[in-house]
Amino acid sequence: MVGAVATLVTVAPLLLGTDPFPTVAYLVSMLMGVGFLIAAAGVLRSIGAQRRRARAVQAAAAAAAQPR
């Protein structure tokens, strides 16, 4: 979130015609990429957990369906 806000802040002078911010502001805006990586890692972990859960349910259903 910090990176996204910093990116908006650093682009604002370009749109408003004012003096650009110092280099530090542009470095902070690079945190937006880190945020995307963290979000992507969370999505991949969620996909893995859902697949494991689905396999466990299928295994339990197959075990219950077998005659004794």
Side-chain angles (χ1 to χ4, degrees):
M1 192 68 173
V2 172
V5 171
T7 300
L8 291 174
V9 168
T10 55
V11 172
L14 299 173
L15 300 173
L16 299 174
T18 60
D19 292 333
F21 288 105
T23 305
V24 174
Y26 292 98
L27 294 175
V28 172
S29 71
M30 290 185 190
L31 290 175
M32 192 162 85
V34 175
F36 283 132
L37 288 176
I38 291 170
V43 167
L44 292 176
R45 287 187 64 188
S46 176
I47 289 169
Q50 288 178 2
R51 285 185 178 180
R52 284 189 295 276
R53 213 174 304 130
R55 283 190 201 127
V57 168
Q58 285 179 346
Q66 289 185 0
R68 294 178 185 237

